[in-house]
Amino acid sequence: MTDLDKKGPQDAPPPAAHPEAIKAIPVRHYGRYVSAVIALAVLAALVWAFAKGDINWGAIPDYFFNDRILRGVRETLILTFVSMAIGIAGGVLLAVMRLSRNPVTSSIAWFYIWFFRGTPVLVQLFVWFNLGFVFDYINLGPVYKDEWSDFMTPFLTALLGLGLNEAAYMAEICRAGLLSVDEGQTEASHALGMSHGKTLRRVIIPQAMRVIVPPTGNEVINMLKTTSLVAAVQYYELLKYAQDIGQTSGATVEVLFLAAAWYLIMTSILSVGQYYLERYYARGSSRALPPTVLQRIKANMLSLSNRPSGGVSA
Amino acid sequence: MTAMVKAEGVHKSFGNVQVLKGIDLEVATGEVFCLIGPSGSGKSTFLRCINHLEKINAGRLYVDGELVGYRQKGQKLYELRDTEVARQRRDIGMVFQRFNLFPHMTALENVTEAPVQVKGESKATARERAGQLLERVGLGDKAKSYPSQLSGGQQQRVAIARALAMEPKLMLFDEPTSALDPELVGDVLDVMRDLAESGMTMIVVTHEMGFAREVGDSLVFMDEGVVVESGHPREVLTDPRHERTKSFLSKVL
C-alpha cells in the first residue's frame, strides 16, 4: 500500500462564500403532454356518453337515504364485520394448527385451506344455501335440534359462506405474520423464562401484527364488496335492496350507481381506519411515526404557502 | 467453592453433524469463565445448551446442582415440562450476539417485561428497578427510547439490563460485542467488567482477548467440539501449550 496523501483542512481550497444556485433549462418530456391529452380526451368522451345516455340522475339523490337502502347498508356492514370476525378467529386457529408440530392438526388445517381457497366463494354460498336438500334436520344431540330450513336462515348461510371462506385466507396471512418474526425473539423470551403462551402473546403476536394488519385491512375492504354476492342466496343487503328498488321504480341502472356510491363511501372510510391501525402497529419499527392524515394535510398546506417565490423559473 | 455449572461428557449434534464431542468442565460460583475458539468450534452451542435452548444428546449438564432440562429417577431420565424448563431459565440470564431486544417495547418496557410477566412483580416495583438497572448500564436517559432509536452498543447494554432484571445467579454472554462497531465495544465491556466485579458468575463466549485476560478467572479454548486447553487466561493466552491454540491465538492477537 502506498502512503495516501492525506489532506488536512488547511490544504482544502477555501469554500466559495455563496455558490451560485443552478439555473438550468429542465428537460422537456413531450411524451407526457401527448399521453395527458389522450387520457383527457378518453375521459371526456366517457363523461359525454354518460351525460347523453338516458339516465335519470335525479333518482340517485331521491333514493340515496331511502329506508331500504339504509337498511341494506346496515346489513352489509353487519355481514362484513361478523364474517370478518369469524374469518379472523378461524384464521388464527388454522394458522396455529398449521404451524403446530402435531402432524394431524397441521394436515387438517392444510386440507381446510386447500379446499376453501380452491373453490369459488359463490359456489360455497350456493352449497350452504342448498344443503337443505341433503339434510332434513340438524341434530347436535341434546344441545340443539331443529328442522334444517329453520336453522339455515339466509343470514347464517351468508355468514358461514363468507366467514369460513375468509378463514382460509386469514390463516395464510396470520401464518406469514407469525413466521416473519425473528427466531431470536422467541429465544430471548424463552431465555427470560417466559412460557410458550406468554411468548406468543406478549412478543410474537404484537410484532406479527405489523405484517398481518395491512393485508387484513385489504381483506375487510374485499369482504365488504364480496358481501354483495349473498344477494344470490336471497339475503337482503345493500345490493339486493337496490335491485328491488330498481325493479319497482324502473330506475335499474340508477340504483346500481347509488349502490356503487355507497360501497365507495364505506370502503373509503375503512381505508382511513386501516391507515391509523397500521400507524399504531408501526411503533418501534421506524424511528419516527408516519404522520396522521391531518398532520399530512397541515404539512402540505405549510409547504404550499412557504414555497419560495423565486426558485427555479422555467 | 461450589460449581455453578458442571458439564459431564456433553454431546450435541445437529443431524449428522457432531458439534459437541464430550465437553467436561466446571464453572465455580462467582467466576468469570471465558470461552474462546474459532467459529464452528461449538462454543456458542455449548452456551445455548446451558439454558436448554438446545437439547443435549448425551452427557449431563448441571446448573447450581440441578440437572438442566431433565429429571433423573434412578437410571431413567424424564424430560421436563415446558413450564419447568422455563422455571430453570429464570435464574439464567442470557445476552445474545444480535441483542434480540423486543422492538415493539421501549427500553424500560424491555427490562420490566420478564419481572412482571414471569415473576409477577408489580409494575411499579419493576419499573423502579428497571430505572436503576438502566442507570447502572449508563442509559438512564434512554428509558423511553425504542430499540430502533438506540445504537448497537446501547441496545446491548439494555439487553444486559433486561437479563439482570430477573436477578439471575448466572449470566451467559454469547459474543456480546461481535455485532458492534469497534468504538461501541468499550461501553459494553465496561458494563460487563462492572458486573464481574459485583461477583456475578459469568460465562462469556468472546473474541475480546483483552477482556478475557483482564477480567476472566478461567479460560477454555475449544475447537471442533472439544476442549483443547484450559487454565488461567493469562497463562493460556501468553503461553499456550497446544499447537492448535498457538495457531489460533497467532491469528487473533
Side-chain angles (χ1 to χ4, degrees), chain A residues 79-110:
Chain A
L79 202 53
T80 303
F81 288 113
V82 179
S83 359
M84 215 45 218
I86 295 176
I88 290 174
V92 170
L93 181 71
L94 283 168
V96 172
M97 282 171 71
R98 188 100 157 71
L99 290 174
S100 89
R101 267 179 245 159
N102 185 334
V104 177
T105 54
S106 86
S107 320
I108 289 174
W110 180 89

Side-chain angles (χ1 to χ4, degrees), chain A residues 185 187 190 196 198 202 284, chain B residues 48 82 89 101 113 117:
Chain A
Q185 295 290 312
E187 285 183 359
H190 283 174
H196 281 302
K198 280 241 163 79
R202 301 281 312 171
Chain B
R48 293 159 57 84
D82 289 340
R89 286 179 179 141
L101 287 180
E113 179 67 13
Q117 294 297 325

Side-chain angles (χ1 to χ4, degrees), chain A residues 100-281:
Chain A
S100 89
R101 267 179 245 159
N102 185 334
V104 177
T105 54
S106 86
S107 320
I108 289 174
W110 180 89
F111 181 81
Y112 180 100
I113 294 166
W114 171 76
F115 181 81
F116 280 91
R117 284 208 313 176
T119 52
V121 65
L122 189 56
V123 174
Q124 290 171 27
L125 281 168
F126 279 135
V127 169
W128 287 112
F129 187 60
N130 292 310
L131 272 186
F133 289 120
V134 196
F135 301 116
D136 293 331
Y137 289 97
I138 176 163
N139 188 350
L140 300 178
V143 189
Y144 184 81
K145 184 174 171 170
D146 204 348
E147 291 207 17
W148 187 266
S149 53
D150 289 341
F151 165 71
M152 195 52 95
T153 57
F155 183 62
L156 196 61
T157 310
L159 267 190
L160 284 178
L162 295 176
L164 296 187
N165 179 69
E166 185 57 33
Y169 286 92
M170 282 309 300
E172 289 300 273
I173 291 172
C174 293
R175 192 169 70 100
L178 293 175
L179 288 177
S180 75
V181 180
D182 183 40
E183 185 120 22
Q185 295 290 312
T186 313
E187 285 183 359
S189 320
H190 283 174
L192 286 166
M194 289 168 80
S195 64
H196 281 302
K198 280 241 163 79
T199 303
L200 204 61
R201 244 191 9 253
R202 301 281 312 171
V203 177
I204 307 298
I205 289 176
Q207 292 180 65
M209 287 308 262
R210 206 160 51 80
V211 177
I212 293 174
V213 165
T216 303
N218 278 336
E219 290 294 309
V220 175
I221 289 168
N222 252 330
M223 178 61 87
L224 188 100
K225 295 182 294 175
T226 311
T227 54
S228 63
L229 284 183
V230 305
V233 291
Q234 303 309 312
Y235 185 71
Y236 274 80
E237 39 65 73
L238 179 54
L239 179 63
K240 188 77 180 157
Y241 277 120
Q243 283 176 325
D244 261 23
I245 294 172
Q247 269 168 12
T248 49
S249 70
T252 319
V253 179
E254 289 83 350
V255 286
L256 288 179
F257 285 169
L258 187 158
W262 266 109
Y263 281 117
L264 264 179
I265 291 171
M266 290 189 279
T267 51
S268 305
I269 294 172
L270 287 179
S271 307
V272 174
Q274 188 188 357
Y275 179 82
Y276 278 93
L277 256 183
E278 280 180 35
R279 188 172 179 276
Y280 175 77
Y281 282 110

Side-chain angles (χ1 to χ4, degrees), chain B residues 40-52:
Chain B
S41 59
K43 52 196 191 317
S44 282
T45 304
F46 178 67
L47 200 71
R48 293 159 57 84
C49 288
I50 296 175
N51 64 356
H52 210 54

